[in-house]
Amino acid sequence: MKKNILSIVLILITGITVAQKNQRIAYIDMEYILQSIPAYLEAQNSLDAKVEKWKARLDKEARAIEVLKTDLTNEKAILTKDLIEEREEDISIKQESLRRLESLYFGPNGDMYNLRKQLVKPVQDQVYNAVQTIASRKKYDFVFDKSSDLVMLYSNKKHDISDLVVQMINIDQRRQAKKDKIEAKKSLLKNDNLSDEQKEKIAKREELKKKKEADRLAKIKQIEEKRKQRLEERANKRKLLQEKRKALLKAQEEARKKKEEEETKENK
């Protein structure tokens, strides 16, 4: 029976291996890609600011309830039964109100979910569209996300298409910026009779766009440097672990030989 099961397993493994020979597989690092897109970072910062504001309000309400509880405990001895029940009911109402407010902010369909969808989802959709385009062009059968729950015990860098995704998104953004610039020029040509004040406002907007683009490129460069540093640190850690493992195996082998020698001496 065991031999039959083993045979079936071997056949399945062989079949999967053969099938995979004709499959093209790639992976991305979604975390790295998103951190390379300034629009995502701006959206995430806006979301984080809102979340901090909501948490501060919830903490304030929770502290106020704790104060009421403490006051009731300290004054319980001098209060009538009706006053105690009234205060307890007031505390209970405030606790229920706090729970509703927490659900409103952080519930399944709360403000945080809706705001994340509004701010972050468009950027994520842009990433997914870029991945699908690259996978279609390069004929990949599977594209995995390295930063997801998928456990990747080993990943060859040549299969990482994260930089391709970032490049494609940057190209799309540059195309859009170029279109916007053309539209702005057309708008200027149509409005030759603009006042000096209007012209100054338009010039300021253009200057602001240029500054944002320069900041975006600087952020991408900084992110790339950090990523390289993380990769180097990981490589150094792997090297150190391998050296420790070799040293441990060597020590175990020496201990085994020593034990065998001692046993041989005792037998003599």
Side-chain angles (χ1 to χ4, degrees):
M1 182 66 181
K2 289 183 178 179
K3 287 183 179 180
N4 291 335
I5 294 172
L6 182 60
S7 300
I8 293 169
V9 171
L10 288 173
I11 290 168
L12 287 172
I13 292 172
T14 305
I16 292 169
T17 305
V18 171
Q20 286 180 341
K21 285 181 180 178
N22 298 321
Q23 292 176 346
R24 288 172 57 81
I25 298 174
Y27 71 90
I28 61 168
D29 187 341
M30 181 66 81
E31 184 180 347
Y32 162 70
I33 293 171
L34 292 176
Q35 293 299 319
S36 301
I37 303 174
Y40 175 83
L41 296 177
E42 290 173 10
Q44 191 63 51
N45 288 337
S46 299
L47 180 61
D48 291 343
K50 281 283 187 182
V51 168
E52 287 301 318
K53 186 177 178 181
W54 294 334
K55 284 182 177 179
R57 182 178 175 185
L58 291 172
D59 289 342
K60 183 179 178 181
E61 296 290 337
R63 287 196 299 271
I65 292 171
E66 288 303 316
V67 170
L68 291 175
K69 285 182 177 180
T70 303
D71 290 345
L72 177 59
T73 301
N74 294 336
E75 298 171 9
K76 218 167 191 179
I78 60 173
L79 295 175
T80 63
K81 183 180 178 182
D82 290 340
L83 283 174
I84 291 172
E85 289 178 353
E86 184 180 332
R87 287 202 186 183
E88 287 176 343
E89 186 179 356
D90 183 44
I91 291 170
S92 179
I93 290 170
K94 288 184 182 299
Q95 286 176 325
E96 181 60 31
S97 176
L98 179 61
R99 283 192 289 269
R100 285 200 300 268
L101 186 61
E102 187 175 9
S103 179
L104 178 67
Y105 287 152
F106 303 109
N109 294 306
D111 291 344
M112 188 178 81
Y113 171 81
N114 292 325
L115 189 59
R116 181 184 292 278
K117 188 176 179 180
Q118 179 186 345
L119 294 175
V120 179
K121 193 175 183 300
V123 181
Q124 291 176 329
D125 289 343
Q126 196 174 14
V127 173
Y128 289 131
N129 290 336
V131 170
Q132 288 176 359
T133 302
I134 292 169
S136 177
R137 287 179 183 175
K138 293 190 173 289
K139 302 186 185 305
Y140 289 120
D141 296 293
F142 301 99
V143 178
F144 298 103
D145 179 11
K146 186 179 180 181
S147 58
S148 70
D149 293 334
L150 176 69
V151 179
M152 297 185 72
L153 300 178
Y154 171 76
S155 57
N156 193 322
K157 179 65 180 172
K158 72 178 183 180
H159 301 305
D160 187 353
I161 61 169
S162 301
D163 289 323
L164 281 177
V165 174
V166 174
Q167 288 171 16
M168 178 166 286
I169 292 171
N170 289 336
I171 289 169
D172 289 340
Q173 289 179 346
R174 282 197 293 271
R175 284 176 181 167
Q176 187 60 45
K178 192 175 181 180
K179 286 180 182 178
D180 293 342
K181 196 173 181 180
I182 292 170
E183 289 298 323
K185 285 182 179 179
K186 286 180 180 178
S187 179
L188 283 173
L189 290 172
K190 288 179 182 177
N191 299 281
D192 291 331
N193 297 323
L194 290 174
S195 65
D196 292 340
E197 184 179 353
Q198 288 172 322
K199 289 179 181 178
E200 186 179 349
K201 285 181 179 179
I202 292 171
K204 284 183 179 178
R205 281 201 297 268
E206 289 298 319
E207 191 65 29
L208 184 60
K209 281 183 181 179
K210 289 179 182 178
K211 185 178 181 301
K212 284 185 176 180
E213 179 63 15
D215 291 342
R216 185 182 72 83
L217 293 174
K219 283 180 181 178
I220 289 174
K221 184 179 179 181
Q222 185 181 12
I223 289 165
E224 181 61 25
E225 289 174 354
K226 286 183 178 179
R227 185 170 184 258
K228 286 180 180 177
Q229 185 179 352
R230 286 200 303 269
L231 290 173
E232 288 177 1
E233 288 174 355
R234 288 176 187 173
N236 290 334
K237 284 182 180 178
R238 282 198 297 269
K239 185 179 178 182
L240 184 62
L241 286 172
Q242 288 174 353
E243 289 175 353
K244 286 183 177 179
R245 186 170 179 273
K246 286 179 180 178
L248 180 62
L249 290 173
K250 185 178 179 181
Q252 289 176 342
E253 181 63 20
E254 289 176 353
R256 185 183 64 79
K257 287 181 179 179
K258 186 177 180 181
K259 186 178 179 181
E260 288 178 353
E261 289 175 357
E262 289 176 353
E263 289 175 351
T264 303
K265 288 179 182 178
E266 288 177 359
N267 291 332
K268 287 181 178 180

